[in-house]
Amino acid sequence: MTKKKLLVLTGPTAIGKSDAAVEYALKTGCDVISADSMQVYRGLDIGTGKITKQEMRGVKHHMIDVAEPDEDYSVGKYVSEAEKIIDLQKFPPIICGGTGLYITSLVLGSDFGGVGKDEAIRNKWKNILADKGKQYIYEFLEKIDPESAEKISVNDTKRVIRAIEIYEMTGSPKSKLVSENNTKYDAKTVILYDDDRDALYKRINTRVDKMFASGLIDEVESLMKYENCGSMQAIGYKETIEFLKGKITKEEAIEKVKQNSRNYAKRQITYFKGMRIVDKQYVKFNDFAAIFNTFRLI
């Protein structure tokens, strides 16, 4: 059976993915499907850099504002919902976003998305986390699934525990449950890059300043009832919560968001380099002609 064609546009934060996707969509008539694990949440707008209606310029966008901030939104659910949208598309849509796990799970296929939950295993490792700390559970993951550990931050204890849970439920590392053989898509991936790392960091800093000037503090304040939810651990939100609780100054919060955003961009770049997607090409962030020509080949 012929595989459905799919276009993927990704890259680190502040590289210009959304603008490039809209430009391509305007020329071809396709839709854009977001691949951003934080933009799925309603109300988290400014801090996630969510594209506005004006910036969409009439292009239909999917997988934005599909969950409440207190929802435990999984990669498996993302893949399931995104696949339904893709099946309805007349033209190959653009999957646009910087959440590498969402992209690889969708493009390569993810058996682990169908692996359910085991509360006993999950609670066991939560107790171990509380007793022995995040470094201990991370080092356990490194032993059983070094490939997944390489892509997960030691601080992301939720994903660390989920990877261990999958291993204990299936007997196989999560990284081995993803293969190119079970995907139903013929995907072409463009990874945007900027060889001037300082310029990228400057754009990140400028974006953060704009977020605070545009009302990020008020946005976070309106979401404080969700402060203990996973969605509020997003960069920009957790630091602003610290400010609102009087733990740090506004200036310290802004600097922390900038630093954490720059560190996140570094992790994204590393992740994209290691993505096992075969048909991927690096394109300079401002070379729209190259993006257009690469996608046209499909």
Side-chain angles (χ1 to χ4, degrees):
M1 188 175 75
T2 303
K3 292 184 177 181
K4 199 171 185 70
K5 296 184 184 298
L6 201 60
L7 310 175
V8 178
L9 185 64
T10 190
T13 186
I15 198 71
K17 298 181 292 293
S18 295
D19 290 343
V22 167
E23 287 291 343
Y24 182 86
L26 286 170
K27 290 181 179 295
T28 62
C30 72
D31 287 3
V32 175
I33 300 175
S34 172
D36 187 300
S37 61
M38 290 296 112
Q39 292 188 8
V40 299
Y41 295 110
R42 299 183 186 94
L44 277 71
D45 302 329
I46 298 172
T48 64
K50 194 176 292 179
I51 189 169
T52 65
K53 290 291 183 184
Q54 182 178 5
E55 291 167 339
M56 290 179 186
R57 296 163 64 188
V59 173
K60 187 157 188 174
H61 283 63
H62 304 269
M63 298 305 295
I64 294 174
D65 294 336
V66 295
E68 295 301 326
D70 58 352
E71 186 174 339
D72 186 12
Y73 199 88
S74 67
V75 62
K77 186 167 185 179
Y78 170 81
V79 171
S80 176
E81 294 186 354
E83 285 180 339
K84 292 175 185 176
I85 295 168
I86 293 168
D87 288 343
L88 297 174
Q89 298 302 302
K90 179 180 179 182
F91 304 110
I94 295 182
I95 309 300
C96 176
T99 302
L101 184 62
Y102 275 20
I103 291 170
T104 52
S105 299
L106 179 64
V107 173
L108 298 180
S110 60
D111 294 329
F112 67 84
V115 176
K117 299 178 181 179
D118 189 313
E119 292 298 338
I121 294 175
R122 188 170 293 188
N123 289 332
K124 177 185 77 172
W125 282 98
K126 285 181 179 178
N127 290 334
I128 293 173
L129 169 64
D131 182 43
K132 297 188 176 182
K134 59 187 178 183
Q135 189 64 39
Y136 179 88
I137 64 170
Y138 184 77
E139 288 176 359
F140 180 81
L141 178 61
E142 285 183 313
K143 293 177 183 177
I144 62 171
D145 189 357
E147 189 172 341
S148 289
E150 190 175 324
K151 298 175 181 176
I152 301 175
S153 168
V154 65
N155 297 314
D156 195 346
T157 55
K158 181 178 178 181
R159 285 179 60 198
V160 171
I161 290 176
R162 176 57 176 160
I164 295 173
E165 178 187 14
I166 290 168
Y167 175 80
E168 295 198 349
M169 289 179 66
T170 66
S172 298
K174 186 184 82 168
S175 58
K176 302 301 180 187
L177 294 177
V178 180
S179 70
E180 294 179 38
N181 297 325
N182 59 5
T183 180
K184 60 182 181 182
Y185 301 116
D186 174 12
K188 182 173 288 292
T189 299
V190 165
I191 301 172
L192 299 182
Y193 76 95
D194 187 348
D195 48 18
D196 185 344
R197 190 69 65 88
D198 289 338
L200 174 62
Y201 291 165
K202 185 176 180 179
R203 290 200 300 276
I204 289 173
N205 292 342
T206 299
R207 172 183 279 192
V208 172
D209 286 333
K210 183 178 178 182
M211 286 176 176
F212 277 91
S214 299
L216 178 60
I217 292 174
D218 290 338
E219 177 174 284
V220 176
E221 194 167 24
S222 72
L223 296 166
M224 283 298 286
K225 65 179 178 180
Y226 301 112
E227 65 173 296
N228 295 318
C229 297
S231 61
M232 297 300 284
Q233 297 307 303
I235 296 171
Y237 293 86
K238 57 186 177 181
E239 299 88 353
T240 304
I241 288 174
E242 287 187 86
F243 161 68
L244 289 171
K245 288 188 169 184
K247 295 181 179 180
I248 57 177
T249 65
K250 180 180 177 181
E251 290 71 24
E252 289 171 332
I254 293 173
E255 188 50 46
K256 285 185 75 171
V257 175
K258 289 179 179 178
Q259 182 62 60
N260 290 337
S261 296
R262 294 193 297 267
N263 290 341
Y264 176 55
K266 291 179 188 176
R267 295 196 300 273
Q268 286 177 302
I269 291 168
T270 299
Y271 186 95
F272 298 138
K273 286 180 179 178
M275 279 201 311
R276 290 180 295 165
I277 295 172
V278 174
D279 195 352
K280 65 179 182 180
Q281 296 188 38
Y282 284 88
V283 175
K284 193 76 177 288
F285 74 98
N286 56 359
D287 191 350
F288 177 73
I291 297 171
F292 185 79
N293 290 332
T294 301
F295 278 157
R296 272 192 6 181
L297 293 176
I298 200 167

